[in-house]
């Protein structure tokens, strides 16, 4: 196999290779016995047998206890496997009878607006028995009202973990450096690792756990999603291709991660690379903070829109993913996210399950401090 460094100008396009059912409302009329409660749990998950439900004694050991999660490469392939197995188990309902994070708290720090990140981390902590609190940047003023290091030293005294959705990866690194509790990357300009856990849970639901050689094609801006896809290719053995205009390639440091791991990543601006993909993935062309570049970016990405016609060219069994929110009329159209090949809303649901699994494996060893 040839490994190209550069942009070869053959007539096949420019390729760059690096080695490398809705819940029914109920009215509480009396206190239920433990037996009635257990029966209600089983009825709500009819596919589960009683012995399929976890107890506190049958839970898997947390594999990332006390660590930070700033990048997908902060876990090994074996740890990723454990987290995704837990996510699948949680989605099947096997954790409904346990509250492994009871008495624990998670601070949700936001510099950027959020629907999925805020909701899923908040609901996830609640379902695991813990508590989440949202702190906007108006309240904190990371690096302006207060030093990031001081924010970290304060939060570690009160809560058991921090999730940050911020602009700079450096902000998360500084939080992690100065806090003795787990810090989770909920999104930065560089990486979006929690999103990729949900993405790969969705991909595994379609293709199984062994994804080696599956073609994952990312089309659009070489942004934090593209970077994290490269990291997941390193961990899972998927064949990652990034289709993007010249000048909008993924981060060079992330590409070097692939080089060091001996993993091949394909970069191209040839739209024909989409053909036959097992997974086609896109994201917005204009991320938060890039509004001043909107017109330039729209011109650069013209032709890279995912449409039903493009979905016809991926593999017959292929699926379409988008992390949302979608800017319809730019990187995609409603007919694509609602297409039979779309798993976009399954993917959004899986943010809850994958992040619950991550929270457990980072914090499941902790006992309340009060």
């Amino acid at each position: 196999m040839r490994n190209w460094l550069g942009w070869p100008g053959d007539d096949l396009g420019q390729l760059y290779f690096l080695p490398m059912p809705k819940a029914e409302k109920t009215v509480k009329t009396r206190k239920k016995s433990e037996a009635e409660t257990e029966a209600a749990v089983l009825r709500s998950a009819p596919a589960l047998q009683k012995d399929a439900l976890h107890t506190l004694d049958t839970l898997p050991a947390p594999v990332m206890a006390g660590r930070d999660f700033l990048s997908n490469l902060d876990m090994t392939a074996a740890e990723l496997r454990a987290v995704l197995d837990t996510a699948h188990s949680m989605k099947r309902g096997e954790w409904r009878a346990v509250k492994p994070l009871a008495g624990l708290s998670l601070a949700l720090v936001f510099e950027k607006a959020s629907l999925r990140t805020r909701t899923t981390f908040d609901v996830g902590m609640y379902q695991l028995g813990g508590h989440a609190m949202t702190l906007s940047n108006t309240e904190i003023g990371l690096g302006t009202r207060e030093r990031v290091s001081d924010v970290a030293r304060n939060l570690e005294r009160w809560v058991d973990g921090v999730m940050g959705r911020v602009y700079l990866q450096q902000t998360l690194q500084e939080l992690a450096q100065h806090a003795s509790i787990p810090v989770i990357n909920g999104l930065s300009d560089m990486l979006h690792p929690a999103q990729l856990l949900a993405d790969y849970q969705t991909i595994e639901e379609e293709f199984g756990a062994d994804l080696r050689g599956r073609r994952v094609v990312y089309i659009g801006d070489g942004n934090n999603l593209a970077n994290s896809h490269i990291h997941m290719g390193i961990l899972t053995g998927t064949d990652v291709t990034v289709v993007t205009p010249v000048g909008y390639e993924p981060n060079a440091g992330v590409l070097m991660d692939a080089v060091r791991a001996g993993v091949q990543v394909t970069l191209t601006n040839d739209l024909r690379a989409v053909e036959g993909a097992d997974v086609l993935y896109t994201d917005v062309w204009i991320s938060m903070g890039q509004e001043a570049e909107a017109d330039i970016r729209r011109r650069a990405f013209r032709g890279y829109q995912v449409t039903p016609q493009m979905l016809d060219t991926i593999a017959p069994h292929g699926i379409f993913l988008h992390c949302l929110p979608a800017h319809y009329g730019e990187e995609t159209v409603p007919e694509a996210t609602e297409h039979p090949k779309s798993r976009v809303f399954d993917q959004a649901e899986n943010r809850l399950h994958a992040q619950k699994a991550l929270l457990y494996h980072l914090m499941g060893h902790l006992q309340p401090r009060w």
Side-chain angles (χ1 to χ4, degrees), residues 312-331:
D312 288 340
T313 71
I314 69 175
H317 57 263
I319 61 174
F320 169 51
L321 299 178
H322 188 311
C323 64
L324 298 178
H327 293 175
Y328 292 123
E330 293 182 3
E331 79 281 356

Side-chain angles (χ1 to χ4, degrees), residues 289-334:
Q290 296 176 336
E291 290 80 6
E293 307 171 32
D295 290 341
I296 295 172
R297 284 177 165 266
R298 288 190 186 102
R299 288 194 295 269
F301 289 99
R302 188 175 294 122
Y304 287 77
Q305 184 182 87
V306 177
T307 63
Q309 292 74 29
M310 183 178 286
L311 294 181
D312 288 340
T313 71
I314 69 175
H317 57 263
I319 61 174
F320 169 51
L321 299 178
H322 188 311
C323 64
L324 298 178
H327 293 175
Y328 292 123
E330 293 182 3
E331 79 281 356
T332 193
V333 293

Side-chain angles (χ1 to χ4, degrees), residues 6 60 136 224 263 276-278 309 313:
S136 72
N224 50 9
V263 171
D278 295 303
Q309 292 74 29
T313 71

Side-chain angles (χ1 to χ4, degrees), residues 140-144 146-156 170-180:
I140 297 179
L142 281 168
T144 54
E146 194 161 359
R147 294 193 311 175
V148 175
S149 58
D150 285 357
V151 172
R153 292 186 180 108
N154 277 267
L155 289 175
E156 71 174 1
Q170 180 183 347
T171 300
L172 295 168
Q173 293 168 342
E174 196 170 348
L175 282 171
Q177 178 184 352
H178 294 283
S180 60

Side-chain angles (χ1 to χ4, degrees), residues 23-85:
E24 296 181 359
K25 292 184 178 179
T26 58
V27 178
K28 184 176 180 181
T29 57
R30 60 185 177 85
K31 185 176 181 179
K32 294 182 178 180
S33 68
E34 289 184 5
E36 287 175 310
T37 301
E38 184 176 67
V41 169
L42 290 172
R43 284 196 301 272
S44 68
L48 291 178
Q49 299 299 316
K50 178 179 177 180
D51 59 3
L53 291 173
H54 273 298
T55 68
L56 290 177
D57 293 327
T58 64
L59 296 182
V63 298
M64 300 175 66
R67 286 158 44 189
D68 300 313
F69 182 69
L70 308 186
S71 159
N72 292 109
L73 294 188
D74 285 336
M75 53 173 51
T76 66
E79 290 165 348
L80 172 63
R81 178 73 270 138
V83 171
L84 290 178
D85 285 346

Side-chain angles (χ1 to χ4, degrees), residues 84-106:
L84 290 178
D85 285 346
T86 297
H88 292 304
S89 175
M90 287 177 167
K91 189 173 184 178
R92 291 193 297 266
E94 294 166 3
W95 291 60
R96 291 179 180 178
V98 293
K99 302 292 182 184
L101 301 189
L104 303 183
S105 296
L106 179 71

